Each structure stands twice: as structure tokens, then as C-alpha cells.
Amino acid sequence: MIIRDCDRAVVKWAVDQGYPYAYVREHGLPDPSLRIHLGLSTAYFEGGRLVHWRAESPGRHMDQLMFELTSLFGCCASANAYPEQEVWLSPAEQSALRPPYSKAS
């Protein structure tokens, strides 16, 4: 498999951790994305940056899931793969931040 230069640091991390990886085409993600299976979760990278993280786990495996997420944070920090962050607010939070409507006299 030919590894893109921008993905080399992430692939090295995956190899060092023993995680399987492959370039894939999946609906809703950039084409192609580098997929790394962490165990219970899967991380997707494009252009050397994390673009998506999927996880599904029974509650009794929460510790494993949090271990995988912590490991992924470490990889993203060391490989400069951490995506630019945006604040997500629920509709209730958004409405709480709006100034109250007042009738100007």
C-alpha cells in the first residue's frame, strides 16, 4: 500500500500500536480516507488530519473506549493531526445566549 506523505506520522502510530489501517471510500467521508481500527472505535483521517471518529460500545466496555479515545488524542497531538475545533451548542444553549427580546420605546 502506498502511504501518502501527509499520513505517514499517523500510519507510524498505527503500526507501532498494532492497529490495522487502510485507505477506504465510505459514504459521507472524504475520498479516500485513512481508516484506523482502534478496537471498539474507528478513526478516519484525511490529509493527515482526523476527520471522523466512530464508536459503539456496550456500557461495560466504557473503560476500553476511553482508553482508545485517550490514545487517539495522544496520536493527534504528536502527529499534529488534531482538527480545528468548533463549539457545538444545543438549540437550548443557543437560545439562552441570545439577548432577550425587548420592545424599544
Side-chain angles (χ1 to χ4, degrees):
M1 173 187 323
I2 297 174
I3 306 299
R4 295 177 180 172
D5 286 338
C6 57
D7 293 328
R8 288 194 187 279
V10 177
V11 169
K12 181 184 180 328
W13 170 78
V15 169
D16 289 348
Q17 301 301 314
Y19 296 142
Y21 62 91
Y23 284 103
V24 297
R25 297 182 189 283
E26 293 210 12
H27 180 71
L29 295 175
D31 244 0
S33 297
L34 175 63
R35 178 183 63 202
I36 300 176
H37 285 289
L38 307 174
L40 297 174
S41 64
T42 306
Y44 295 86
F45 295 83
E46 195 258 337
R49 298 269 186 175
L50 179 68
V51 292
H52 195 76
W53 180 65
R54 288 188 183 145
E56 186 170 336
S57 166
R60 67 182 181 276
H61 296 295
M62 187 64 76
D63 286 346
Q64 175 64 30
L65 194 59
M66 291 302 102
F67 169 78
E68 292 175 15
L69 183 57
T70 302
S71 181
L72 181 60
F73 276 135
C75 164
C76 288
S78 65
N80 197 26
Y82 200 69
E84 192 171 314
Q85 296 298 293
E86 296 177 13
V87 175
W88 183 87
L89 299 172
S90 70
E93 291 169 322
Q94 289 176 6
S95 67
L97 292 173
R98 289 191 194 109
Y101 176 74
S102 64
K103 292 183 180 181
S105 339

